[in-house]
Amino acid sequence: MAQPIRLIIVDDHPVVRDGLRGMFAGDPDFEVLGEAAGGAEALTLVEARQPDVVLMDLRMPGMDGVTAIGELARRGSAARVLVLTTYDTDSDVLPAIQAGATGYLLKDAPREELFRAVRAAARGESVLSPSVASRLVGRLRSPAREPLSQRELEVLGLIARGSTNREAAAHLFISEATVKTHLLHVYAKLGVNDRAAAVATAFERGLLTPGNR
């Protein structure tokens, strides 16, 4: 009889961890070695227990999932990481895949889909939920966008904080017409038509963060 797939569950919500543990405990193909509530705890647990697969949430207090995935890769861990989260935006999916995640699944996945994904991840196969796969394909098919310049980011950051064109111009010691020109360039690069959409898209792509809003 084949050895069960050894799992570690990483999620900051105890109810989620309990639910996942109960789900996998009921199937002899899996063995849950332990649980962690954050990235730092996960690193320690993975090193101690050497699982086959790590089910990793992304947004957790302290060390987040992407940082933990990257650190596991840096340490040469043999464990496969399957992201299990509620978020499927570009700013969540792409960093996780780039950091070394084997797969990316959403928490609303049916039980059997999750089981198949864990088995595939244990074999080293990439597993993506349909919405994530569509997002990545769309990203690959879309032409590469020119990055925003530093001045364009400065203008957009001021707009995100509620500044008018005139206030942004005064803050940056440039003319109001120059601010408008920068905004037009921002709209074109982000593929949007107005200020609100530009700000929302910039946050979604990680170009702006709450700290520079």
Side-chain angles (χ1 to χ4, degrees):
M1 182 176 177
Q3 292 294 314
I5 296 170
R6 298 169 302 151
L7 292 168
I8 283 176
I9 298 167
V10 186
D11 197 291
D12 60 325
H13 291 98
V15 172
V16 173
R17 296 197 305 271
D18 288 347
L20 289 171
R21 175 185 279 276
M23 186 185 302
F24 284 104
D27 192 306
D29 287 349
F30 305 101
E31 178 186 359
V32 178
L33 300 179
E35 305 169 13
E41 186 182 353
L43 295 178
T44 301
L45 195 56
V46 169
E47 187 172 354
R49 304 304 304 273
Q50 299 293 311
D52 301 309
V53 177
V54 179
L55 284 179
M56 181 78 75
D57 193 14
L58 289 183
R59 301 189 187 181
M60 298 177 289
M63 182 184 291
D64 62 30
V66 170
T67 302
I69 294 167
E71 183 61 21
L72 286 172
R74 189 189 69 79
R75 295 182 182 187
S77 171
R80 309 290 185 175
V81 180
L82 177 61
V83 171
L84 186 62
T85 184
T86 56
Y87 306 100
D88 66 350
T89 64
D90 283 356
S91 59
D92 292 299
V93 175
L94 299 176
I97 300 298
Q98 290 165 351
T102 299
Y104 198 111
L105 211 61
L106 300 182
K107 287 181 178 176
D108 61 0
R111 169 191 171 116
E112 288 308 315
E113 182 180 341
L114 177 57
F115 282 10
R116 284 195 300 271
V118 171
R119 292 187 181 101
R123 295 192 297 267
E125 300 172 7
S126 294
V127 186
L128 299 173
S129 70
S131 65
V132 170
S134 297
R135 183 175 292 276
L136 289 177
V137 169
R139 181 78 175 222
L140 291 173
R141 287 177 177 170
S142 63
R145 298 184 178 94
E146 184 182 352
L148 300 187
S149 69
Q150 184 59 42
R151 181 45 61 94
E152 288 163 354
L153 284 170
E154 289 171 349
V155 170
L156 190 56
L158 289 169
I159 297 304
R161 291 198 292 268
S163 297
T164 64
N165 288 356
R166 179 173 297 180
E167 290 166 343
H171 183 88
L172 297 172
F173 302 102
I174 58 179
S175 70
E176 190 173 346
T178 300
V179 169
K180 291 179 180 178
T181 298
H182 284 312
L183 283 174
L184 289 174
H185 290 163
V186 168
Y187 298 165
K189 290 179 179 181
L190 297 183
V192 299
N193 298 313
D194 57 47
R195 298 156 68 96
V199 170
T201 300
F203 275 110
E204 180 178 317
R205 296 183 188 171
L207 301 175
L208 293 177
T209 64
N212 62 10
R213 179 168 181 165

